[in-house]
């Protein structure tokens, strides 16, 4: 069972930046960041292929967030710039571990709060 451990959440003012990290205890396929705001459905924020050569972003974060990974460290990052109050949510790291078509391993979540 691969475990995912996130870090880097916190509180920041609008316009600020944060970087989230997620370290996997074993090898994974694609990885992604999801978020869930209070009272809303979970949504995917960004995803990255196993090699790191392919990335995808939600329209709401395109141009502001950057997902990257360090395969030597089994770590994926989410750099969040120009943060907005609507980015406030619990952010979850996810990985494809057994499946290559769905995310089957999840982190515990880290809260990001953006104040106006």
């Amino acid at each position: 069972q691969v475990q995912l451990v996130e870090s880097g959440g916190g509180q920041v003012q609008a316009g600020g930046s944060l970087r989230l990290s997620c370290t996997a205890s074993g090898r994974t396929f694609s990885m992604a960041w999801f978020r869930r705001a209070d009272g809303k459905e979970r949504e995917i924020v960004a995803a990255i292929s196993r090699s790191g050569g392919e990335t995808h972003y939600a329209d709401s974060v395109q141009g502001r967030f950057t997902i990257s990974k360090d395969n030597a460290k089994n770590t994926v990052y989410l750099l969040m710039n120009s943060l907005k109050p609507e980015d406030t949510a619990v952010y979850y790291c996810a990985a494809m571990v057994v499946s290559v078509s769905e995310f089957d391993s999840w982190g515990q979540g880290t809260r990001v709060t953006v104040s106006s």
Side-chain angles (χ1 to χ4, degrees), residues 1-9 19-36 42-48 67-70 73-78 80 89-97 102-112:
Q1 180 79 17
V2 173
Q3 294 186 327
L4 306 177
V5 179
E6 301 125 330
S7 62
R19 189 180 79 158
L20 306 182
S21 300
C22 171
T23 299
S25 61
R27 295 188 71 183
T28 65
F29 297 105
S30 295
M31 297 185 73
W33 289 95
F34 287 75
R35 67 185 180 187
R36 177 177 283 156
R42 184 180 65 195
E43 62 174 348
I44 189 166
V45 175
I48 190 166
I67 189 170
S68 61
K69 66 184 313 195
D70 184 336
K73 296 181 179 179
N74 283 346
T75 298
V76 64
Y77 305 96
L78 185 68
M80 305 183 292
V90 177
Y91 284 71
Y92 297 90
C93 176
M96 294 182 184
V97 176
E102 65 178 300
F103 294 100
D104 52 14
S105 184
W106 294 84
Q108 80 284 358
T110 184
R111 178 167 287 277
V112 171

Side-chain angles (χ1 to χ4, degrees), residues 46-111:
I48 190 166
S49 62
R50 183 175 188 174
S51 68
E54 187 174 342
T55 58
H56 298 279
Y57 297 92
D59 289 344
S60 58
V61 306
Q62 181 75 47
R64 299 188 298 122
F65 290 11
T66 302
I67 189 170
S68 61
K69 66 184 313 195
D70 184 336
N71 283 329
K73 296 181 179 179
N74 283 346
T75 298
V76 64
Y77 305 96
L78 185 68
L79 176 61
M80 305 183 292
N81 294 323
S82 303
L83 283 161
K84 304 175 181 179
E86 51 263 43
D87 295 317
T88 295
V90 177
Y91 284 71
Y92 297 90
C93 176
M96 294 182 184
V97 176
V98 176
S99 170
V100 295
S101 61
E102 65 178 300
F103 294 100
D104 52 14
S105 184
W106 294 84
Q108 80 284 358
T110 184
R111 178 167 287 277

